[in-house]
Amino acid sequence: MAKNLFIAATGLRTGLTSVSMGLLRALDHKGVRVGFFKPVAQTSQRDAVDRSVQFIRASSPLDPPNPIALKSAQDQLNTGQSGQLMEDIVGLYHQAAKNMDVVIVEGLVPDSSQAYTARLNVEIARNLDAEVILVTAPGDATPQQVNETLDFSARLFTENSATRVIGAVLNKVGEPTRDELQLSTWHLPAAASLDWAKDCDSFSSGRMKLLGVIPWEPGLLAPRTADIAWPLKAEVLHAGDQHSRRVEQVTVCARTLPNMVEALTPGTLVVTPGDREDIIVASAMATLKGIPLAGLVLTGGLMPQARTIDFCQAALETGLPVMKTTLDTYHTAYCLAQMDSSVPADDRQRIERVMEATAEAIDADWLKEQLSLEQEPRLSPPAFRHLLTAQARAANKRIVLPEGDEPRTVRAAALCQQRGLARCVLLGNPEQIRKVAISQGVELPDDLEIIDPDEVRKHYIEPMMELRSHKGLAADMAEAQLEDNVVMATMMLALDEVDGLVSGAVHTTANTIRPALQLIKTHDHARIVSSIFFMCLPEQVLVYGDCAVNPDPNAEELADIAIQSADSAATFGIPPRVAMISYSTGVSGTGQDVEKVREATELVRKRRPELIIDGPLQYDAAAIESVAKSKAPDSPVAGRATVFIFPDLNTGNTTYKAVQRSANLVSIGPMLQGLRKPVNDLSRGAMVDDIVYTIALTAIQAKQVEEQARQ
C-alpha cells in the first residue's frame, strides 16, 4: 500500500504547487515510484482544468484523475454530505495510488474568503492516513513569526487526530517586494542568509524536520513573450520565437535614441508607442547585431509606416516577436508589473526548471528513509538526468570545447561551470567569445577558462609529429592541421591536458571522430568506435546503438558494439538487458542479415557470458511484454530489453529518429564508445541542454577511464 504525503500551505502565495511538484521530482530522483493526487480543484480564470494536474501530465508520464470541482465540494459540505465527499475523494485517490510507493497529495490553498478550506485539508489528510508536510513562504517574517505560523498550522492537523506533521519546506526565501518586472534589479534581503534550522524553534527543537529551503530565483519567473499577450489583450503582429523567448526585464522606451540604446539587452521586452519609429528601428538593429530581445510591444494602437516595417523585415526573420496593444504606454507598463507570475500549464520548459530547482533543495534521502521504503529502484528520465549531473559533479573533470565561440556552446559552458558539472575550456579568440556571450546575455563565470589557439598552437607541433611519425607527418603539415581547433583540442586530450572533448555543434561527425582515431585511437579491448543514444521514454531510459557511426558492421564488430553499449548502460545506472535487433525473432527467419545478428549474439555470449543478451529479436518482441509472450516466451530479454543493438546504421538511425519524433521524447547523444579517452559528438541541431548533458556524459566517461587505468 502506498504511503501518502499531504502537502499543505500555511497561507496564500506560498508556491504550494511548485513544492508539491518538486517533492515528486525529488523522490523520483531516488528511484521511488511516486504518484500525484489533487483531491479538490482550485482553477483560475484561464484554466478549465486544475493547473497542478495539467503540470503533472505535461512533465511526467503520470495521468492523475481530475479533481473534484471546488464548487461541487462546497455544495456537498453545505448540504451535510461531507461523508460522501470523503468517499469520492478516497475513490479518486486509489486511481492515483495504483502501483505507487508514495503519493504526493496536494491540499487546498487556505483562503480567508473560503474558511472551510483549512477544515477540508485536515479531513482529507486524516481520511487518507497521510503524513503532512507544511509549505510556507517567509517573506520578511522573522524566525519567531515563521515558527508561530508553522505551529498554528501544525495544530490544525494534529488536534483531535492521529495525523502527523513530519516536516516543512520554506519556499521563496528572500523574496523581495515586486513593483515592476525588472528581474535583473532584484536583490535578496538579509533574511535570505538566515540559518533557519537553528534560528526557527520548530526545527531546532525537533518538532518537525526542515525538509528544504528553496531560495527566491527571479530567473524562474521569466515568462515567454507569448504569455504577455493575454494580460495586455494584444494583437500579435509577428509571432517569431514568442514561445521560446523569455521576458527577463522590461524597458519602457519614450526617451531619445542615445538615452535608450543601453537598455537593448538580451531578454528585454521593449515597450514603446507604435509611432516611435526610431526606437522600432533601433530594436531591429539590435536584433540583427545578435542581441536576442524578448520582443517589441507597440502601444496606443499605433503602427509604424509600411516603409519602416519593410526596412525591419530582416530583423523579423530572426524571430523577433512583435505585438500591438490599444493600451497606452503607462497602462501597458502597469499591466506588465501586475501580471500573474504563475507558470502557464503549457510552458513545459519552465515547469521542468521549477521542478528541478525545487527538487535540488529538498532532503529526499531523509524523506525516503522516514517513509521506510524498500523497492527495486527504477531510472526514469528525470532520475537519469539527475544521476548524470550528480556523477559529473563528483567526477570534476576538465572538458575542452573546440567550438568556443559558437553561441550554444558558450551558453552551455557557462551553465556547466555554474552548476559544477565540469571545468570547461573554450577554444577560441577571447574577445570574440566575450562578444558572443554579451550578445547572448550570458555572464561568463570568472573561473571559465578560455584559451586562444593562436597563442598555444606552436606547443603542439612536435607532439603531433611524434604521434603521427609512422605517417611521416612534417612540421608544416602538423601546423596546418592544428589550424583546426578540433585537431588542437584532440591533441590537448592526447597529452592529458584535458580529460575529455565535446564537438559537433558546427562540425560533422567525421570532423570530430577522425582526429580522435588518428591521435587518441581505440582502447585495447575495442575493435571499433561506436555510438549510443540514451532514449528518454516517459517511464524509463533505453540505450540505442549504433545509430551514428558504423554503416554496416560485420558480426565481430556488431558484437563489440553490443558489449560496449551494455557496459555504457551499466555505467549510467541502466541494468543492461541486450536485444540484438533484426527483422526476425529466434529461428523464424533466415538470410545473410539475420545470420549476422545470430552470429554476433553468440560471440557476445562467449566473450561476456555474464551479460543478459538475446537475439535475433524483432523490435516489438524486444520492447513489448505482450508481444514477447507470444514470439519469445522463454527469452530473458524479450519484453524487458534496455539496450537495443541495431544491425546497421540505416536501421539504427532511422529507428532512433522515428521514435524520438513520433513520441516527442528527449534523446541524449550520440555518445562515442571504444576510444582510449572520451570524445563526444553533437548533433548540429543540438540545443543548449543537449550540449550540457553531453559535457556531463563526457566527464563521467573520463572518470571511468581514470578508474580503469588504476585497476
Side-chain angles (χ1 to χ4, degrees):
M1 183 177 177
K3 303 288 182 71
N4 303 319
L5 293 174
F6 189 89
I7 318 303
T10 62
L12 295 170
R13 291 182 290 277
T14 61
L16 174 65
T17 296
S18 297
V19 173
S20 297
M21 293 194 306
L23 281 162
L24 184 144
R25 178 59 57 83
L27 288 170
D28 185 70
H29 282 167
K30 300 301 176 183
V32 176
R33 294 173 177 83
V34 55
F36 178 85
F37 178 47
K38 176 80 171 183
V40 180
Q42 286 179 297
T43 56
S44 67
Q45 182 181 353
R46 295 182 65 182
D47 299 308
V49 179
D50 184 271
R51 189 172 289 186
S52 301
V53 172
Q54 293 186 67
F55 286 160
I56 294 300
R57 289 173 178 168
S59 60
S60 77
L62 299 176
D63 186 18
N66 288 329
I68 295 169
L70 184 61
K71 180 65 167 60
S72 176
Q74 187 179 26
D75 290 343
Q76 285 182 287
L77 290 174
N78 290 340
T79 56
Q81 299 181 60
S82 59
Q84 182 61 50
L85 173 61
M86 288 302 140
E87 187 176 330
D88 294 342
I89 286 173
V90 170
L92 289 172
Y93 159 78
H94 282 295
Q95 295 179 34
K98 188 178 181 180
N99 300 324
M100 297 298 171
D101 302 311
V102 177
V103 177
I104 300 296
V105 183
E106 183 183 309
L108 289 156
V109 175
D111 189 339
S112 58
S113 66
Q114 299 167 331
Y116 62 89
T117 53
R119 177 167 62 89
L120 189 53
N121 276 341
V122 172
E123 285 297 305
I124 294 172
R126 181 177 63 81
N127 280 278
L128 295 180
D129 191 25
E131 294 179 302
V132 177
I133 295 174
L134 300 175
V135 179
T136 192
D140 57 0
T142 65
Q144 179 59 33
Q145 291 169 325
V146 170
N147 183 67
E148 291 171 358
T149 298
L150 292 173
D151 278 355
F152 175 78
S153 296
R155 282 197 301 273
L156 290 175
F157 286 95
T158 57
E159 284 182 352
N160 305 316
S161 172
T163 305
R164 285 199 312 146
V165 176
I166 61 171
V169 175
L170 303 185
N171 193 24
K172 303 181 182 180
V173 174
E175 177 182 7
T177 302
R178 186 180 81 166
D179 55 6
E180 58 182 349
L181 199 67
Q182 295 288 336
L183 305 187
S184 62
T185 64
W186 288 341
H187 299 284
L188 299 182
S193 61
L194 288 171
D195 187 344
W196 290 96
K198 292 181 179 179
D199 296 336
C200 186
D201 187 60
S202 290
F203 308 128
S204 61
S205 66
R207 290 198 299 277
M208 63 181 73
K209 169 74 174 178
L210 178 58
L211 281 167
V213 177
I214 303 168
W216 173 256
E217 291 191 32
L220 295 178
L221 290 179
R224 298 166 301 185
T225 306
D227 297 329
I228 69 168
W230 190 82
L232 297 180
K233 295 180 174 55
E235 175 190 353
V236 177
L237 302 176
H238 182 258
D241 299 330
Q242 64 171 351
H243 289 286
S244 58
R245 298 200 186 193
R246 295 196 175 271
V247 181
E248 297 177 7
Q249 56 189 1
V250 174
T251 183
V252 178
C253 293
R255 294 164 285 177
T256 59
L257 190 59
N259 292 323
M260 54 79 64
V261 169
E262 292 183 356
L264 299 176
T265 58
T268 295
L269 181 72
V270 179
V271 179
T272 186
D275 59 355
R276 284 298 302 272
E277 301 192 356
D278 54 339
I279 294 173
I280 294 169
V281 170
S283 300
M285 292 178 66
T287 298
L288 292 174
K289 190 180 177 183
I291 298 173
L293 297 175
L296 185 61
V297 177
L298 308 180
T299 65
L302 302 171
M303 285 286 291
Q305 294 185 32
R307 289 177 297 177
T308 303
I309 296 173
D310 290 342
F311 183 79
C312 298
Q313 190 61 41
L316 298 180
E317 290 171 1
T318 69
L320 176 67
V322 182
M323 58 186 70
K324 179 182 72 170
T325 176
T326 57
L327 299 174
D328 61 29
T329 304
Y330 172 81
H331 285 97
T332 299
Y334 178 81
C335 286
L336 290 171
Q338 301 301 316
M339 194 173 81
D340 182 7
S341 62
S342 57
V343 185
D346 64 341
D347 191 349
R348 297 184 63 173
Q349 182 187 43
R350 193 168 156 205
I351 294 169
E352 189 69 24
R353 290 178 60 200
V354 168
M355 289 181 78
E356 285 295 334
T358 307
E360 287 181 7
I362 289 172
D363 190 346
D365 288 320
W366 181 91
L367 194 54
K368 183 179 177 182
E369 183 179 349
Q370 177 73 17
L371 295 168
S372 301
L373 296 172
E374 295 181 5
Q375 75 289 313
E376 180 184 350
R378 66 184 179 86
L379 198 65
S380 67
F384 176 68
R385 294 194 297 268
H386 176 75
L387 178 70
L388 287 187
T389 56
Q391 289 190 358
R393 288 190 188 101
N396 188 31
K397 293 303 179 183
R398 190 170 183 240
I399 307 299
V400 64
L401 307 171
E403 299 161 324
D405 59 1
E406 198 280 322
R408 292 165 294 166
T409 302
V410 172
R411 293 177 68 89
L415 283 170
C416 285
Q417 202 78 19
Q418 290 162 2
R419 295 167 62 185
L421 302 183
R423 291 174 284 127
C424 292
V425 179
L426 291 173
L427 279 190
N429 180 281
E431 184 178 349
Q432 178 61 26
I433 290 172
R434 292 188 184 98
K435 285 181 179 178
V436 170
I438 291 170
S439 72
Q440 294 296 307
V442 174
E443 184 175 346
L444 296 178
D446 293 337
D447 56 349
L448 177 59
E449 191 175 355
I450 299 174
I451 294 178
D452 188 341
D454 293 339
E455 294 184 0
V456 299
R457 185 173 293 108
K458 61 180 180 294
H459 301 310
Y460 297 101
I461 295 175
E462 284 194 21
M464 187 169 176
M465 291 169 60
E466 291 179 18
L467 285 174
R468 302 285 289 162
S469 59
H470 62 289
K471 293 291 185 180
L473 185 68
D476 58 340
M477 289 297 295
E479 185 173 9
Q481 290 183 30
L482 286 165
E483 292 285 341
D484 183 342
N485 282 359
V486 178
V487 175
M488 180 179 291
T490 308
M491 277 302 303
M492 294 172 69
L493 181 58
L495 298 176
D496 292 326
E497 296 178 358
V498 295
D499 302 301
L501 182 156
V502 174
S503 179
V506 292
H507 288 86
T508 65
T509 297
N511 289 144
T512 300
I513 295 180
R514 189 183 302 109
L517 290 173
Q518 294 171 345
L519 302 170
I520 304 297
K521 299 183 170 52
T522 58
H523 62 64
D524 296 339
H525 304 294
R527 291 168 172 78
I528 57 173
V529 173
S530 65
S531 72
I532 58 171
F533 281 88
F534 294 95
M535 307 296 289
C536 298
L537 275 66
E539 287 288 350
Q540 63 178 331
V541 178
L542 303 177
V543 171
Y544 282 11
D546 174 6
C547 303
V549 178
N550 296 286
D552 189 16
N554 60 34
E556 285 275 353
E557 293 168 337
L558 196 60
D560 206 42
I561 293 169
I563 291 170
Q564 292 175 5
S565 302
D567 289 343
S568 294
T571 297
F572 293 97
I574 300 169
R577 291 188 290 272
V578 184
M580 305 294 285
I581 302 300
S582 178
Y583 58 77
S584 169
T585 293
V587 296
S588 64
T590 58
Q592 183 177 351
D593 291 337
V594 73
E595 287 302 325
K596 178 179 76 170
V597 174
R598 189 172 286 121
E599 182 183 349
T601 304
E602 291 305 316
L603 287 170
V604 174
R605 286 174 176 155
K606 289 177 182 178
R607 290 171 58 187
R608 293 285 296 275
E610 78 282 5
L611 278 181
I612 302 173
I613 185 170
D614 199 9
L617 288 170
Q618 290 166 290
Y619 188 95
D620 57 351
I624 302 170
E625 190 173 355
S626 60
V627 177
K629 287 179 180 178
S630 62
K631 288 191 174 183
D634 300 323
S635 171
V637 172
R640 303 172 61 241
T642 57
V643 179
F644 293 71
I645 304 302
F646 297 99
D648 53 55
L649 186 59
N650 182 47
T651 306
N653 191 268
T654 301
T655 304
Y656 118 75
K657 287 185 176 176
V659 172
Q660 179 193 37
R661 298 301 180 186
S662 334
N664 192 29
L665 55 83
V666 173
S667 64
I668 299 174
M671 186 186 88
L672 300 183
Q673 311 170 123
L675 290 165
R676 291 180 183 273
K677 298 175 184 179
V679 173
N680 278 315
D681 183 36
L682 297 166
S683 163
R684 275 170 284 177
M687 305 294 286
V688 173
D689 280 351
D690 299 331
I691 301 174
V692 168
Y693 286 120
T694 302
I695 292 170
L697 285 170
T698 308
I700 297 167
Q701 284 181 294
K703 179 69 172 178
Q704 186 184 32
V705 168
E706 180 183 78
E707 290 172 350
Q708 289 172 345
R710 287 201 297 262
Q711 293 174 354

